[in-house]
Each structure stands twice: as structure tokens, then as C-alpha cells.
Amino acid sequence: MTRRKDTASSSKLSRGEDPRLAQTRDLVLSTAVKLLLNEGLGQLTAFRVHQETGVARTTIYRQWPTQTDLVVATLERLTVPGDPFDDTEDFEADMRTLLLRLKKRMEKRQVRQLVAATLAMAMEDFDHAPLIRSFLNGLLRSIRDRIHREAKRAGMTKHETERLYDRIVAPFMFRHVMMLGTIQPEQVDDVVKQTMIALGFGSSEHHRHSSM
């Protein structure tokens, strides 16, 4: 997966950056996070950030020329990478561990708020779909990376890889996001087991295949 680079915000952040600029950027983005979560996409503008922080709009526009740039930077600020994960060579066990980690993250109030906010963005304007996809890909990156490593090891096609990813992630996300429900550990096990069966192999058979 190729991650979209926020050139408006990332290209100016290193190599001897003025500490005052870094402090201003942090103030703007932390305020943007609060506006997105508490007031929605419509209020995530340079004018509202200026009202809340006192930072000049020209300064904000210099870093993020458009609202889209500001939204992307805000989403990237919120998409914190998960803990590092090392494969165990047991695909089922790895998926169970990663889904339980995702479950724990999505039970946090801020993450639930952010998911709701991104869905509202899609309802308001479908042009925001790529931004939402970028956020969700960040949230699911560890799972997606593990699936892609398994697919490469097993010689799966791109279509088979996406099918595997959808079968594992879709039921989990649907219950959390659309149904606002809580996933139990037993349900995580069921999702993984049903996925393995649907793809034509059981746990012991697949474990042997993965270890070869």
C-alpha cells in the first residue's frame, strides 16, 4: 500500500525547522482535531482554527493551502500507528492477536468519535472518500500488512488477497462502526475461523502450509 504524503505539512517539518513554527503547527493541528471531533468537518476551516487559536489565517494557509490539506493533516495526526508486530508464522493466531488489538483501539472514545466524523464526511461529500479511506487504511495497516505477507507467501493473486482481507475485516468493522456494537473475543475467533473455512482450509492445514 502506498501512503499518500501530505506535502503541504510534511515537507517543512524537518532539517532545522524553527521551533516556533513547530509549536504553531502543533497548536493548529491539536485545535483541528478538537474541531473535527466536536463540531464536524464543516467547522474544520482556517477561519475557525484562527478563531480558536489566534494564529493568523495567512500562516495557516501557508502550511495548508486548502481545507483538504488541513483535513488530511488532521487525520494523519489522529492515525497513530499500532504497536510493532512480528509474525509468528501462524496466520490464524496472528489475525486473532491483531483483531483483538484493533478491538481495544476502537473501544477508545476518541477513535469512535473519529470514525463517526469520517463517516459524516462521506455523507456530506463523496469527494472526501479518499481521505476516509486513507484514515481507515492507517487504522488497519498492521492487519493489512500481515495479510499481504501471508498472501505473498502463499502465492495468492491480488483478487484472492483482497478477498481474504475483506472476509476478515468487513464483519469486524461492520459491527463496530455500523452497528455500534462491541466485539467479544469469541466473536473474533469466529471471524477468523469462518474465514479460513470459507477460503478452503482449516487451521492445522493452513498452519502447515504457512510453515513450509
Side-chain angles (χ1 to χ4, degrees), residues 60-146:
I60 297 171
Y61 285 128
R62 191 176 302 120
Q63 285 282 311
W64 305 280
T66 69
Q67 184 189 26
T68 297
D69 292 324
L70 184 56
V71 170
V72 170
T74 304
L75 291 177
E76 289 185 344
R77 174 90 166 201
L78 282 162
T79 306
V80 180
D83 297 330
F85 182 79
D86 295 324
D87 295 0
T88 67
E89 301 300 327
D90 185 330
F91 181 60
E92 278 190 81
D94 287 349
M95 283 296 99
R96 187 175 296 109
T97 298
L98 288 169
L99 285 172
L100 287 172
R101 287 187 184 183
L102 178 62
K103 166 186 172 347
K104 186 175 181 180
R105 290 187 74 188
M106 292 195 67
E107 287 172 349
K108 295 180 179 179
R109 181 171 176 270
Q110 186 184 59
V111 174
R112 283 190 176 275
Q113 285 180 311
L114 183 56
V115 170
T118 55
L119 288 175
M121 289 166 59
M123 295 295 289
E124 291 178 16
D125 188 346
F126 191 71
D127 288 341
H128 290 300
L131 305 182
I132 299 164
R133 194 174 300 116
S134 175
F135 162 69
L136 291 176
N137 283 341
L139 188 65
L140 300 169
R141 183 170 293 112
S142 295
I143 294 173
R144 192 177 189 91
D145 287 350
R146 179 63 183 93

Side-chain angles (χ1 to χ4, degrees), residues 35-80:
L35 289 171
L36 178 61
L37 294 178
N38 298 329
E39 301 183 21
L41 175 66
Q43 297 301 311
L44 184 49
T45 64
F47 178 69
R48 282 292 287 120
V49 172
H50 161 71
Q51 284 185 316
E52 294 293 320
T53 63
V55 175
R57 279 182 284 175
T58 53
T59 300
I60 297 171
Y61 285 128
R62 191 176 302 120
Q63 285 282 311
W64 305 280
T66 69
Q67 184 189 26
T68 297
D69 292 324
L70 184 56
V71 170
V72 170
T74 304
L75 291 177
E76 289 185 344
R77 174 90 166 201
L78 282 162
T79 306
V80 180

